[in-house]
Amino acid sequence: MKKTILYSLGVFVLALGQTYAQAGKSDTAAGQQAIGYPIQAVPISQVKVTDNFWLPIIKRVQEKTIEYAIQKCSEEGRFDNFLIAGGVKQGDVKGQMPFDDSDVYKIIEGASNSLISSPDEKLENLLDSLIAIIKIGQEKDGYLTTWRTINPAKPPAPWVKVDKGERWEYMNMSHEEYNAGHMYEAAAVHYWATGKRNFLDIALKNADLFVKTFGDKPGQILAVPGHEIIETGLVKLYQITGKEEYLKLAKFYLDHRGDPNKKEQYGAYAQDHVPVIQQDEAVGHAVRAVYLYAGMTDIAAIYNDADYRAAIDKIWHNMVEKKIYITGGIGARHDGEAFGDNYELPNLTAYNETCAAIGSVYWNNRLFNLTGDVKYTDVLERTMYNGLISGISLKGTEFFYPNALESDGKYLFNRGACTRSAWFDCSCCPTNLIRFIPAIPGLIYAQKDDVLYVNLYMGNTADVNLKSQKLTVSQETAYPWDGSVKVAFTPQKEGTFTVKFRVPGWARNEVMPGGLYNYTNKLKGTPELKINGKKQNIQITDGYFTVTRSWKKGDTVTLNFPMEVREVEASDKIVDDRGKVSLERGPLVYTVEAADNADVQAVKVSGKTKFTVKNHPELLKGIYTIEGKTNGKTFTAIPYYTWSNRGVNEMKVWLPETK
C-alpha cells in the first residue's frame, strides 16, 4: 500500500519526508495533560486494550480503514492538491469540498493515535511522507488551504462565495479555519506520538499567521470561524508551547460569536446568532455546534469562567433532555445537518451525522474531566456503543454519514444510498472515525490526585501514576455482552488510594440523564461489588462505587451489573415514538432488521412479550441477539450498531407496543 501510494504521488516524497522528520522520540507524555482540567485521562500510551469487543474494532481501523482512506484520498486528489499548491504539479483543484485538506489531517491524527498504542515503523515513515507533501502546499507566510492557493477565484464547491478572490472571504463556508483546526489537532497528536516536530512546525507557522491576522487591533480582521474546531486546536498548541497568543485567539473567536456590531453574522446555523455566554439551546449545524461547545468547555476550564460554564450547562441540558436520540445520535434534520426544534426527533429521516456523535463524545469527555460527574460518561458510553460505531461497517470500509433509526429500504438517507457507502465526496465522517477510534483507550480511566476513575469497562492493562502511588490495573470482562467485570490491582507499594467504579446509567435504571427516555420497569437485580471475593455493602453514590482502602498487590474487585432485556419508552412529546418502545440490553440499543424478520412492520411488543438472549459467535462478527415472542409470533433483534451489514434492509428501532 505504502509503495503504491507514494509512486502515484511522486517517488521523491519518501526521501523528502525522511529529510523533514526529526529522528528520535522525546518524552512528550507530560504535554498531553489537558490544561485547566482538574481530572486528567490516563493517556493512550499507558493503556493496552485486550478487549474482545473493542480491540477488533480498533485493529480494523488500524489495519484496514487507515490504508483504505489513504488510497481513497490519493485517488481523489487530496494529496495532489498540496503538490499543485506548492507548484510541484500542475492542474486545477481536485475534489469538491473546500475542506478536503482536513481529511488528510484526520487520517494522520488517527494513525498517530494508532502509533501510540501500536508502534509501526512503516506507518510512521508513511506519515512523514504525507507530512512532507503537506509542507509543499504551505505558503511562505504559513497560509495553508490548498484550494485558495491554487485558484482563490474558483472554489471547489458552488456554495462558497467569492468576491475579490482573496484569503478569508466568506469565512462562514470557506473552511480555512476548519482546515487549520484539524491540522492543529493532528499535529499535536503526531508530536505526542512520535516526538517529531515536522508536522508541529507546519501547524505553528500557520497558527502564527492566524494570530497575526485576526483580532481587534488596527490592521487585523475581526471575524470568527464559520465551522468551529480551530478553537480546540489552538488550545492544544498552547498546551504544547505555552504560547498564550494561541489561547487568547481561541477565546477571541469564542467571545466574538454573536456580536452583530463589528462583524458579519452567520446566524444560528453556525451558532453565531447571539453571544456564546447567552446561548442556552443546542442549535444549527450539529457538528459545528458540539465543536463549539467543546471549545467553550476548554475556556471554562482554563479561565475558570463562570459565564462560559453556565452557558455550556444550559446547552448540554437542552441537548440531552430535548434533542438527543436513544442511540446518543444528535442532529435531527438533513436540512443543514442540524438540530431541530425541541423534541423534533423523527426516525426515518433522522440525520444523526457520525461526525456529530464523535463531537458529542469529545465534548462529554471534557465535561467529565471538568466535573467528575457520571452523567457525562453515561452519555458518552451510550453514544460510543450505538450511534458512533454504527457509522462504520464490520469490514471497516463502508460508512454511514447519517445514522437513521428506521429504514424502509427505499429512502436514500445515506447521501444517495440506503445502506453504508464505500466513500463520499464529502468524506468527513470516514476520516473522523479514523481520527477517533484509535483514541478510545484514553477514555477508559481518569485520575485526580490519589483518585482513580474507572469509567469504561473493557479488557485492558494500564499503568497509572497517582499523586502518591504508581500502579498497574487490569480488567477482564465480556462487556457489553456480560455485566461481570474483574479489576485487578498491582500497586508499586502497599498504600491507600481511592478507586471510583462507574455504575453505568442503564444499571442505575436511568436510560439517559434528564428523563427524555425511561425504562418501563426496573432491573430485577442490583449492581454488586466484591473485594477479593467478598461482597461489600457499598452504596452507589453519585453514580459510583467508591472504594478507599489500603491496596496491595493481587487485590481484585469484581463488579456485576445485571444485564436484562429492557423496554424503553420515550417522552410523549416525541411524536414519532408515541405508542412505541425500543429494546436494550446493557449499553446496547437493539433493532429489528429484515435480514432476520420476514415482516419488520409486523413486529410488535407487549407487556407479555417473552425475551430470550442468544449468543451467535459467527453472526455479524459475534453478537448476542434478543429473541422475542408475542402472541405466538417471534422476532429477532440485533444490536443497532450492526445493522445494514447484510445489504439493503428494512429496519426499525422503535417498535409498536400492543396492550
Side-chain angles (χ1 to χ4, degrees):
M1 177 272 293
K2 173 179 160 185
K3 191 174 291 185
T4 301
I5 291 173
L6 290 178
Y7 276 126
S8 71
L9 297 172
V11 74
F12 69 94
V13 170
L14 178 59
L16 188 59
Q18 300 283 5
T19 301
Y20 280 120
Q22 296 181 5
K25 296 183 180 180
S26 61
D27 181 10
T28 58
Q32 295 181 56
Q33 298 301 304
I35 295 172
Y37 287 92
I39 300 171
Q40 297 287 331
V42 174
I44 302 169
S45 57
Q46 294 170 215
V47 183
K48 182 176 179 59
V49 171
T50 58
D51 192 67
N52 288 333
F53 183 88
W54 283 109
L55 185 59
I57 295 172
I58 294 170
K59 289 181 75 68
R60 203 174 300 137
V61 169
Q62 292 173 326
E63 297 171 0
K64 185 176 287 188
T65 316
I66 290 173
E67 176 179 342
Y68 178 79
I70 291 174
Q71 187 65 50
K72 284 292 185 182
C73 284
S74 178
E75 292 170 1
E76 298 192 354
R78 302 284 196 275
F79 305 117
D80 282 346
N81 283 338
F82 291 97
L83 301 176
I84 296 168
V88 173
K89 293 188 74 170
Q90 299 300 311
D92 295 326
V93 176
K94 298 185 179 182
Q96 301 179 45
M97 300 294 161
F99 44 84
D100 282 346
D101 295 355
S102 69
D103 291 330
V104 178
Y105 305 146
K106 285 185 282 185
I107 291 169
I108 293 174
E109 181 177 348
S112 298
N113 276 319
S114 177
L115 288 176
I116 294 172
S117 56
S118 302
D120 182 329
E121 186 177 357
K122 290 183 179 179
L123 179 60
E124 187 172 337
N125 288 338
L126 176 57
L127 294 190
D128 287 338
S129 301
L130 300 183
I131 291 165
I133 293 171
I134 293 168
K135 186 175 179 65
I136 289 170
Q138 186 169 37
E139 297 188 29
K140 289 182 179 180
D141 65 354
Y143 184 83
L144 187 47
T145 287
T146 60
W147 75 263
R148 282 267 202 219
T149 299
I150 294 168
N151 188 347
K154 188 179 179 182
W159 36 264
V160 179
K161 297 177 183 177
V162 170
D163 183 13
K164 298 179 181 179
E166 297 177 349
R167 294 176 182 178
W168 324 118
E169 281 185 346
Y170 195 50
M171 281 184 61
N172 188 20
M173 290 295 183
S174 71
H175 286 79
E176 291 153 288
E177 71 293 336
Y178 173 81
N179 289 331
H182 272 300
M183 175 170 52
Y184 304 165
E185 296 268 349
V189 176
H190 180 262
Y191 172 69
W192 290 326
T194 66
K196 298 175 181 177
R197 293 185 60 98
N198 48 338
F199 198 11
L200 180 63
D201 286 341
I202 296 170
L204 294 177
K205 188 175 182 180
N206 181 261
D208 288 342
L209 176 66
F210 270 88
V211 167
K212 178 182 177 181
T213 303
F214 291 92
D216 54 9
K217 297 177 182 177
Q220 290 183 312
I221 299 171
L222 203 168
V224 300
H227 195 312
E228 303 91 335
I229 201 176
I230 193 173
E231 301 85 352
T232 56
L234 284 164
V235 169
K236 284 190 172 62
L237 296 185
Y238 165 67
Q239 194 174 318
I240 291 170
T241 66
K243 188 171 180 178
E244 288 197 6
E245 287 89 342
Y246 300 149
L247 179 61
K248 290 177 180 177
L249 181 59
K251 191 172 188 296
F252 171 86
Y253 281 145
L254 295 169
D255 285 344
H256 286 277
R257 293 195 92 80
D259 180 355
N261 299 315
K262 300 178 181 178
K263 51 171 273 298
E264 176 191 0
Q265 291 284 86
Y266 308 144
Y269 168 80
Q271 300 77 45
D272 190 33
H273 52 306
V274 295
V276 294
I277 60 172
Q278 296 176 23
Q279 295 187 28
D280 57 7
E281 182 178 359
V283 298
H285 188 275
V287 182
R288 295 182 184 222
V290 286
Y291 286 173
L292 168 67
Y293 308 149
M296 291 172 63
T297 307
D298 281 349
I299 295 303
I302 294 168
Y303 285 95
N304 194 24
D305 192 303
D307 290 336
Y308 269 76
R309 175 64 195 282
I312 56 178
D313 281 350
K314 290 175 183 176
I315 294 166
W316 186 87
H317 279 284
N318 173 258
M319 183 183 85
V320 171
E321 294 170 8
K322 298 177 181 178
K323 294 190 176 186
I324 194 167
Y325 283 88
I326 191 73
T327 57
I330 51 173
R333 295 178 180 174
H334 282 246
D335 182 17
E337 302 180 325
F339 287 103
D341 294 331
N342 290 337
Y343 308 107
E344 181 188 342
L345 295 165
N347 295 314
L348 182 69
T349 61
Y351 201 67
N352 286 340
E353 185 178 339
T354 300
C355 284
I358 292 169
S360 174
V361 167
Y362 283 130
W363 181 32
N364 276 284
N365 188 51
R366 281 172 165 82
L367 289 166
F368 165 77
N369 289 335
L370 183 62
T371 66
D373 197 319
V374 74
K375 65 189 178 188
Y376 302 118
T377 310
D378 286 342
V379 175
L380 180 154
E381 180 186 65
R382 175 170 292 273
T383 305
M384 276 180 53
Y385 277 97
N386 300 290
L388 195 156
I389 56 170
S390 57
I392 188 168
S393 72
L394 298 178
K395 291 198 299 182
T397 54
E398 296 86 22
F399 309 93
F400 276 143
Y401 194 116
N403 292 268
L405 273 74
E406 183 175 338
S407 176
D408 58 8
K410 300 174 183 177
Y411 172 52
L412 304 178
F413 67 92
N414 190 34
R415 299 183 73 86
C418 53
T419 186
R420 289 183 184 83
S421 296
W423 200 248
F424 308 100
D425 55 5
C426 175
S427 52
C428 56
C429 292
T431 53
N432 221 358
L433 286 161
I434 290 170
R435 173 189 179 221
F436 171 77
I437 288 176
I440 286 172
L443 298 173
I444 302 171
Y445 300 104
Q447 61 191 81
K448 178 183 180 182
D449 297 329
D450 280 323
V451 178
L452 173 65
Y453 293 84
V454 183
N455 282 331
L456 297 178
Y457 297 107
M458 64 183 78
N460 72 86
T461 300
D463 294 320
V464 180
N465 299 317
L466 297 177
K467 184 177 182 180
S468 62
Q469 178 70 272
K470 292 184 178 181
L471 67 142
T472 298
V473 58
S474 64
Q475 291 186 39
E476 296 178 17
T477 182
Y479 196 94
W481 312 118
D482 186 279
S484 178
V485 184
K486 181 181 179 181
V487 188
F489 295 88
T490 307
Q492 195 174 71
K493 59 184 179 181
E494 185 172 347
T496 300
F497 55 91
T498 297
V499 184
K500 296 175 76 73
F501 301 91
R502 174 176 156 266
V503 180
W506 60 264
R508 307 192 317 270
N509 292 298
E510 183 178 79
V511 180
M512 214 173 316
L516 186 62
Y517 304 98
N518 289 285
Y519 293 115
T520 61
N521 60 309
K522 290 189 176 183
L523 281 169
K524 297 174 184 175
T526 56
E528 294 180 350
L529 181 145
K530 296 179 181 179
I531 299 178
N532 299 328
K534 295 182 180 180
K535 184 178 177 180
Q536 306 294 307
N537 185 24
I538 300 176
Q539 299 298 312
I540 299 170
T541 305
D542 297 328
Y544 296 95
F545 281 131
T546 300
V547 180
T548 302
R549 67 192 303 269
S550 181
W551 298 86
K552 62 182 183 298
K553 183 178 180 180
D555 281 343
T556 62
V557 170
T558 304
L559 303 159
N560 186 54
F561 306 121
M563 283 196 175
E564 303 166 12
V565 178
R566 314 291 297 278
E567 295 181 30
V568 178
E569 59 184 5
S571 165
D572 195 53
K573 295 178 181 178
I574 304 176
V575 175
D576 264 31
D577 299 342
R578 289 175 183 167
K580 301 174 184 176
V581 296
S582 66
L583 300 179
E584 292 188 2
R585 183 174 181 268
L588 296 174
V589 174
Y590 276 70
T591 188
V592 294
E593 189 177 26
D596 309 298
N597 302 277
D599 187 353
V600 166
Q601 300 305 319
V603 175
K604 294 181 173 60
V605 175
S606 76
K608 297 180 180 179
T609 300
K610 303 296 183 184
F611 297 110
T612 306
V613 177
K614 294 185 178 180
N615 182 12
H616 295 270
E618 304 303 320
L619 178 62
L620 297 169
K621 300 289 187 182
I623 62 169
Y624 281 59
T625 62
I626 295 174
E627 312 290 325
K629 189 172 184 179
T630 305
N631 298 328
K633 296 181 179 180
T634 61
F635 66 87
T636 298
I638 60 173
Y640 172 79
Y641 77 89
T642 66
W643 91 274
S644 198
N645 276 280
R646 295 170 289 182
V648 175
N649 265 304
E650 287 186 72
M651 177 275 295
K652 290 178 76 172
V653 169
W654 289 96
L655 307 174
E657 183 180 29
T658 60
K659 301 299 182 183

